[in-house]
Amino acid sequence: MIYDNKYRYIKELGKGGFGMVFLVEEVISKRLVAIKQLNNKDREKQQNIIKEIQFVSKFKHPNIVTFYNHFWQGGLLYLVMEYCEGGSLRDKLATEKIAPVTVLLYIQILAECLELVHEKGIIHHDIKPDNILFTESGTIKITDFGVANTGGGTTRYMCPDMLVNYKVNAIQDPRIDIYALGVTLMELLTLKNPFSFLTSQQIIDKHEKAEFGIEKLPAWHQEIILKAINQIPELRFQHMSEFAEAIKAKAVKLIIDNDILKAASLANIATKSLKTKKWSNAFKYLELANNKYPNNVSVLKTFGKYYLQVQKIKLAQEYFEKALMLNPRLDLQKDLGWINLENKNYPTAISLLSDHLHRNPIDFEAYNLLIQCYYETNRYEPAMELAEMLMLSNPHLKCFANNYYICSVLNTSNAVNDISSKIKSSNNHFIQYNESVFKEKEETYSPDNMSQLKSKLLFMDYQFNDFKIGNLCITNSSGKEVELTKPIAKFGRKGYLCNDAIIDEGTKISRRHCVIINSKNNYWVFDLDSTGTYINKDRVTKKYLIYESCTLKIGNTIFNIKPDKTKLL
């Protein structure tokens, strides 16, 4: 069999999902070379393979298989490369017991080679015994650069972060190769790969139980393996050089990654800013951390929490997903439950929040989110039962009293005339507001329509337990500046004295249109199922955080809003 009229077929060396490998002789030079025939006919992918292999070949590294040439035949790509007479590491495993000292030398050489490759921005993605070859003289070499990137890896050598989300394969993270080399080391020393024939979930479960069959190995061997294959990327060796050094030193050196510490420090500052509602400050530090230390789990997680708290749910979800790709063990059930609540996936939200509370039984914010799930699905009795239990044991947390009250109002056709004796209305601005809605003399909703009533009531978020009246200045269309002094300022149609800001545009404006929660450093616009409330041309679908100067548009009336300057620090 002749390839490209330059090569004479001798025999097949192997085959797999990628294609086939043949031993051939160059017709002119009589040199023996290996030709890899790839099954993938996608021209773009073929070009990417060639580009990466040519780039790696420039290194001229003694432990990388040399690439000679390439050609196309029948739409298939053929790669011409160095023939390694000594076969693969897989062949050696099948025919001989490799001494541990030799195994460790192999892994050290491979780690040092891959360190250079990683420094150049190339990740192999499929390190395994099959892709490690030997020359006739015994030199160990890595093959299949470029080709491996198209296959997505081999499951039993794939790290859990790849198994959880297959798209992570596209991430240029050297810790993918570190994990695979660690599994290869374990397989060489124990003669068994503990992940063979397992599903992705079974592999993850095995990691949870740490059942790898390495107990009989020397302690320092176990330490190196466990460090290399840790399912949390941040807890693996961060560079191949660390892997090689651990083998030389016969111990895992305690390495403090200064970048990780700096990223965590910035994330911690941002977290403190979130707690004090310094939204701009939090974003500034998170943006700095994310630019300087990309793909840092603590930064991604905190960014997700920031976007969740400011009600940018889609962005929150994106950042949490990135963090989970890098560390599948992150405890984000509460945050994901919150996201599902905002996306109206209530059964999923309830399941996630319930699981979180089993492990964190004193997370009162999570309890309030669970109550909100029941409230939004009109399951008022379980909401009241949970809220009552919590408000009696935690009377300082006013959200439970308010949310118990609005559920009790909506739970019965016999309207509640007085606030329950269990509820203290003094200094609870939300209860005072909701009671005024329920007992209003001028009807802003149909008394017989409970859904209309519900649309005008306010569920109290946990964040408003620490409520101090803020300093919010509003300039109306006539240029008059009014400083809000009420904790909850009401906007609505002319003719309804319940409103603090009256808009004279007839039925274009809802009777109770929207409210502004005037809480210091925590200003929010809540739309009350109105004909349309807009902040800077964005329609408010539920609630909107005001963290900088903006315009509030109701009908054709525009208000300029200026928050307390300390809010922007």
Side-chain angles (χ1 to χ4, degrees):
M1 186 180 294
I2 302 296
Y3 294 92
D4 199 31
N5 297 317
K6 297 179 181 179
Y7 307 100
R8 183 176 62 83
Y9 173 83
I10 296 177
K11 65 177 181 178
E12 180 183 309
L13 293 175
K15 60 183 177 180
F18 62 88
M20 304 182 74
V21 183
F22 304 101
L23 175 64
V24 303
E25 181 187 65
E26 289 182 331
V27 173
I28 296 177
S29 69
K30 304 300 181 183
R31 177 176 63 174
L32 294 178
V33 295
I35 289 185
K36 185 182 289 285
Q37 170 199 301
L38 302 182
N39 290 334
N40 195 317
K41 291 187 177 182
D42 186 311
R43 196 72 170 191
E44 184 179 351
K45 288 185 178 180
Q46 291 176 350
Q47 293 288 0
N48 288 337
I49 290 169
I50 294 167
K51 184 178 179 181
E52 183 163 314
I53 291 177
Q54 288 176 333
F55 182 73
V56 173
S57 295
K58 291 178 181 178
F59 303 159
K60 299 187 185 305
H61 197 284
N63 302 116
I64 295 176
V65 170
T66 304
F67 169 72
Y68 296 134
N69 197 5
H70 69 275
F71 61 89
W72 280 273
Q73 187 169 295
L76 296 176
L77 175 63
Y78 292 81
L79 305 172
V80 184
M81 58 192 69
E82 176 184 4
Y83 170 51
C84 294
E85 300 93 328
S88 70
L89 186 54
R90 176 72 64 204
D91 298 330
K92 279 189 178 292
L93 270 173
T95 58
E96 62 180 279
K97 175 72 169 72
I98 309 173
V101 65
T102 304
V103 167
L104 291 161
L105 178 60
Y106 287 161
I107 299 300
Q108 180 187 323
I109 292 170
L110 294 171
E112 290 170 344
C113 173
L114 286 165
E115 173 69 13
L116 172 66
V117 175
H118 289 168
E119 286 177 352
K120 302 295 184 180
I122 299 294
I123 310 300
H124 190 284
H125 284 105
D126 199 17
I127 294 295
K128 59 183 178 182
D130 312 71
N131 289 332
I132 298 167
L133 306 179
F134 294 90
T135 64
E136 188 176 23
S137 62
T139 302
I140 192 168
K141 293 187 175 245
I142 304 171
T143 189
D144 262 10
F145 282 97
V147 179
N149 281 328
T150 66
T154 305
T155 302
R156 62 185 182 276
Y157 298 94
M158 288 171 68
C159 46
D161 29 310
M162 291 180 71
L163 296 173
V164 168
N165 191 328
Y166 198 69
K167 292 179 182 178
V168 79
N169 182 54
I171 294 177
Q172 293 297 91
D173 190 337
R175 296 172 297 190
I176 292 171
D177 287 350
I178 288 169
Y179 176 92
L181 189 61
V183 174
T184 300
L185 170 60
M186 176 168 54
E187 186 171 0
L188 293 172
L189 291 175
T190 64
L191 303 180
K192 183 180 179 182
N193 186 321
F195 308 124
S196 295
F197 310 110
L198 299 184
T199 65
S200 296
Q201 186 56 54
Q202 287 171 332
I203 291 173
I204 292 170
D205 291 342
K206 187 170 280 288
H207 271 284
E208 293 287 348
K209 297 174 183 177
E211 295 175 347
F212 306 124
I214 61 175
E215 296 80 9
K216 293 182 180 180
L217 296 178
W220 69 276
H221 290 186
Q222 294 184 51
E223 290 172 9
I224 291 173
I225 291 169
L226 292 173
K227 180 74 172 177
I229 69 169
N230 198 299
Q231 66 175 319
I232 301 175
E234 285 75 21
L235 298 182
R236 289 177 210 149
F237 295 114
Q238 298 300 292
H239 304 281
M240 280 291 185
S241 58
E242 297 173 15
F243 200 156
E245 286 300 321
I247 293 173
K248 291 178 185 177
K250 297 184 178 181
V252 175
K253 184 179 179 181
L254 178 61
I255 298 175
I256 304 299
D257 190 311
N258 198 37
D259 283 352
I260 291 178
L261 286 176
K262 288 178 180 177
S265 178
L266 289 171
N268 188 50
I269 293 172
T271 299
K272 289 179 179 177
S273 295
L274 286 178
K275 288 180 179 178
T276 56
K277 311 302 181 187
K278 297 291 193 297
W279 308 107
S280 297
N281 203 34
F283 181 81
K284 178 181 70 176
Y285 282 105
L286 285 171
E287 191 173 42
L288 174 64
N290 201 38
N291 289 336
K292 292 187 70 174
Y293 313 107
N295 292 328
N296 179 277
V297 170
S298 62
V299 174
L300 293 172
K301 178 181 176 180
T302 309
F303 233 139
K305 290 181 179 293
Y306 165 81
Y307 281 124
L308 182 56
Q309 289 190 36
V310 301
Q311 285 291 290
K312 295 187 178 180
I313 305 304
K314 187 176 180 181
L315 284 170
Q317 191 165 357
E318 288 176 6
Y319 275 90
F320 286 140
E321 286 175 353
K322 288 180 184 177
L324 285 170
M325 283 167 59
L326 295 171
N327 184 353
R329 295 182 66 186
L330 277 181
D331 182 8
L332 291 176
Q333 282 185 295
K334 171 185 172 181
D335 305 284
L336 296 176
W338 192 341
I339 285 174
N340 277 278
L341 165 60
E342 298 294 346
N343 288 333
K344 300 183 180 181
N345 300 321
Y346 300 116
T348 302
I350 290 170
S351 176
L352 288 166
L353 290 168
S354 297
D355 288 347
H356 169 78
L357 286 164
H358 276 297
R359 294 193 305 276
N360 302 275
I362 57 171
D363 187 339
F364 297 113
E365 183 176 42
Y367 281 117
N368 203 52
L369 291 170
L370 185 56
I371 292 169
Q372 189 174 357
C373 288
Y374 294 139
Y375 174 77
E376 298 292 353
T377 53
N378 301 330
R379 297 167 62 188
Y380 302 121
E381 289 186 3
M384 290 171 63
E385 182 180 353
L386 183 55
E388 181 178 13
M389 177 187 72
L390 292 164
M391 75 175 179
L392 293 177
S393 59
N394 300 276
H396 61 290
L397 297 177
K398 298 177 180 179
C399 62
F400 299 126
N402 175 79
N403 299 335
Y404 175 90
Y405 172 64
I406 60 175
C407 286
S408 68
V409 166
L410 295 168
N411 186 47
T412 176
S413 57
N414 297 319
V416 179
N417 293 317
D418 295 299
I419 296 177
S420 167
S421 59
K422 298 174 183 176
I423 301 171
K424 301 294 184 183
S425 63
S426 59
N427 298 322
N428 191 324
H429 305 301
F430 280 79
I431 286 182
Q432 291 169 2
Y433 166 82
N434 286 320
E435 187 181 24
S436 73
V437 173
F438 180 63
K439 293 185 174 182
E440 66 186 12
K441 295 179 181 179
E442 302 162 316
E443 294 178 359
T444 59
Y445 66 91
S446 173
D448 299 323
N449 190 328
M450 298 303 282
S451 64
Q452 278 192 8
L453 169 60
K454 185 174 183 178
S455 71
K456 305 303 178 184
L457 296 175
L458 292 178
F459 187 93
M460 184 175 176
D461 295 342
Y462 185 84
Q463 62 176 322
F464 294 120
N465 281 302
D466 183 21
F467 196 116
K468 296 178 182 177
I469 297 178
N471 180 21
L472 199 64
C473 292
I474 297 182
T475 304
N476 60 24
S477 54
S478 64
K480 183 179 179 182
E481 188 175 277
V482 179
E483 185 173 325
L484 288 187
T485 57
K486 290 191 175 181
I488 300 177
K490 301 176 285 292
F491 292 69
R493 188 192 306 171
K494 183 180 180 181
Y496 294 86
L497 298 176
C498 60
N499 295 310
D500 302 300
I502 296 170
I503 302 161
D504 186 8
E505 293 187 30
T507 55
K508 286 183 179 179
I509 310 302
S510 299
R511 287 173 284 186
R512 279 185 187 265
H513 198 95
C514 67
V515 298
I516 291 182
I517 308 298
N518 185 22
S519 176
K520 186 177 182 181
N521 293 348
N522 200 21
Y523 306 103
W524 290 81
V525 173
F526 276 67
D527 182 73
L528 303 177
D529 195 24
S530 74
T531 54
T533 303
Y534 297 84
I535 297 287
N536 295 338
K537 298 183 180 180
D538 292 331
R539 181 159 186 170
V540 180
T541 55
K542 186 176 180 183
K543 56 186 176 183
Y544 195 104
L545 173 66
I546 302 173
Y547 60 93
E548 59 186 356
S549 298
C550 63
T551 59
L552 168 65
K553 185 171 182 284
I554 300 174
N556 294 317
T557 302
I558 295 176
F559 299 90
N560 293 309
I561 300 179
K562 184 178 178 182
D564 183 350
K565 287 184 180 180
T566 62
K567 176 76 182 57
L568 304 178
L569 297 178

